[in-house]
Amino acid sequence: MEDLMSEAQKPKITCYTCRQPCAGEVLRVQDKHFHITCFVCRVCRRQLATDGFFVKDGMYYCTRDYQEMFGTKCHGCGDYVEGEVVTALGKTYHQKCFVCSRCR
Protein backbone atom coordinates (compact mmCIF):
# COMPACT_ATOMS: atom_id res chain seq x y z
CA MET A 1 0.00 0.00 0.00
CA GLU A 2 1.35 3.41 -0.91
CA ASP A 3 2.21 5.78 1.87
CA LEU A 4 0.18 8.79 0.72
CA MET A 5 -0.81 11.67 2.92
CA SER A 6 -4.42 12.70 2.94
CA GLU A 7 -5.17 16.32 2.07
CA ALA A 8 -5.76 17.04 5.76
CA GLN A 9 -2.31 15.70 6.68
CA LYS A 10 -0.35 17.69 4.08
CA PRO A 11 1.38 20.76 5.48
CA LYS A 12 -0.43 23.93 4.46
CA ILE A 13 1.55 26.57 2.59
CA THR A 14 0.73 30.05 3.83
CA CYS A 15 1.38 33.40 2.22
CA TYR A 16 4.26 35.24 3.88
CA THR A 17 2.44 38.58 3.56
CA CYS A 18 -1.18 37.87 4.50
CA ARG A 19 -0.68 34.58 6.38
CA GLN A 20 -3.64 33.02 4.55
CA PRO A 21 -3.38 29.56 2.95
CA CYS A 22 -1.99 29.59 -0.57
CA ALA A 23 -4.04 28.03 -3.35
CA GLY A 24 -3.94 28.43 -7.10
CA GLU A 25 -1.05 30.48 -8.45
CA VAL A 26 1.63 30.82 -5.80
CA LEU A 27 4.98 32.53 -6.03
CA ARG A 28 8.02 31.21 -4.21
CA VAL A 29 10.76 33.74 -3.55
CA GLN A 30 13.77 32.43 -1.67
CA ASP A 31 12.15 30.33 1.07
CA LYS A 32 8.88 32.28 1.24
CA HIS A 33 5.55 31.75 -0.51
CA PHE A 34 3.24 34.55 -1.69
CA HIS A 35 -0.08 34.97 -3.42
CA ILE A 36 0.81 36.81 -6.62
CA THR A 37 -1.27 39.79 -5.48
CA CYS A 38 0.52 39.86 -2.11
CA PHE A 39 4.06 40.06 -3.53
CA VAL A 40 4.32 43.85 -3.61
CA CYS A 41 6.85 46.64 -3.10
CA ARG A 42 7.16 47.67 0.53
CA VAL A 43 6.96 51.38 -0.40
CA CYS A 44 4.54 51.86 -3.31
CA ARG A 45 2.65 48.51 -3.10
CA ARG A 46 3.25 47.84 -6.83
CA GLN A 47 3.06 44.14 -7.67
CA LEU A 48 6.49 42.59 -8.13
CA ALA A 49 5.61 39.23 -9.70
CA THR A 50 6.23 40.36 -13.27
CA ASP A 51 8.93 43.02 -12.85
CA GLY A 52 12.36 43.01 -11.32
CA PHE A 53 12.74 43.56 -7.62
CA PHE A 54 15.37 44.03 -4.95
CA VAL A 55 15.60 42.58 -1.44
CA LYS A 56 17.13 44.49 1.46
CA ASP A 57 16.90 43.35 5.07
CA GLY A 58 14.18 40.87 4.12
CA MET A 59 11.97 43.53 2.51
CA TYR A 60 11.04 43.58 -1.18
CA TYR A 61 11.24 46.74 -3.30
CA CYS A 62 10.52 47.71 -6.91
CA THR A 63 13.54 49.02 -8.80
CA ARG A 64 12.46 52.67 -8.59
CA ASP A 65 11.90 52.69 -4.83
CA TYR A 66 15.03 50.67 -4.12
CA GLN A 67 17.16 53.09 -6.11
CA GLU A 68 15.58 56.15 -4.47
CA MET A 69 16.13 54.74 -0.99
CA PHE A 70 19.44 52.88 -1.31
CA GLY A 71 20.87 53.53 -4.78
CA THR A 72 24.10 55.22 -5.74
CA LYS A 73 24.13 58.00 -8.31
CA CYS A 74 26.83 58.46 -10.91
CA HIS A 75 28.99 61.50 -10.14
CA GLY A 76 29.29 62.16 -13.88
CA CYS A 77 25.66 62.11 -15.12
CA GLY A 78 23.55 61.91 -11.97
CA ASP A 79 21.67 58.74 -12.97
CA TYR A 80 21.59 55.68 -10.72
CA VAL A 81 24.38 53.18 -11.33
CA GLU A 82 23.91 49.44 -11.70
CA GLY A 83 26.24 46.67 -12.75
CA GLU A 84 29.88 47.47 -13.35
CA VAL A 85 31.00 50.84 -12.06
CA VAL A 86 34.20 52.78 -11.55
CA THR A 87 35.01 54.23 -8.13
CA ALA A 88 37.71 56.86 -7.84
CA LEU A 89 38.48 59.26 -5.00
CA GLY A 90 35.30 58.22 -3.19
CA LYS A 91 33.02 58.90 -6.16
CA THR A 92 31.14 56.36 -8.28
CA TYR A 93 30.72 56.53 -12.07
CA HIS A 94 29.25 54.55 -14.93
CA GLN A 95 32.17 53.22 -16.96
CA LYS A 96 31.17 55.48 -19.88
CA CYS A 97 31.00 58.54 -17.61
CA PHE A 98 34.47 58.10 -16.11
CA VAL A 99 36.51 60.30 -18.41
CA CYS A 100 39.39 62.71 -18.02
CA SER A 101 37.98 66.03 -16.79
CA ARG A 102 40.65 67.97 -18.63
CA CYS A 103 40.30 66.46 -22.11
CA ARG A 104 36.60 65.47 -22.11
Side-chain angles (χ1 to χ4, degrees):
M1 180 179 226
E2 292 183 26
D3 189 20
L4 297 175
M5 287 185 180
S6 71
E7 287 299 314
Q9 293 173 319
K10 287 185 182 177
K12 300 255 189 266
I13 295 174
T14 57
C15 176
Y16 181 76
T17 301
C18 73
R19 305 288 186 221
Q20 297 298 311
C22 289
E25 288 187 294
V26 176
L27 204 59
R28 182 174 178 196
V29 179
Q30 297 168 320
D31 61 342
K32 298 172 180 80
H33 294 86
F34 299 87
H35 296 109
I36 289 178
T37 57
C38 291
F39 187 56
V40 296
C41 173
R42 177 142 204 270
V43 177
C44 69
R45 312 302 296 165
R46 179 180 299 143
Q47 288 189 12
L48 300 175
T50 57
D51 294 327
F53 64 91
F54 289 86
V55 182
K56 182 166 177 75
D57 300 327
M59 303 294 172
Y60 300 92
Y61 299 90
C62 68
T63 300
R64 186 191 72 211
D65 288 327
Y66 182 86
Q67 286 179 332
E68 286 180 13
M69 295 177 71
F70 310 110
T72 301
K73 289 190 175 185
C74 174
H75 189 71
C77 70
D79 290 339
Y80 289 104
V81 294
E82 293 181 33
E84 293 185 37
V85 298
V86 176
T87 302
L89 302 174
K91 297 180 171 95
T92 303
Y93 301 85
H94 293 106
Q95 288 182 337
K96 65 181 169 71
C97 295
F98 185 68
V99 294
C100 175
S101 60
R102 198 165 93 192
C103 37
R104 264 184 208 215

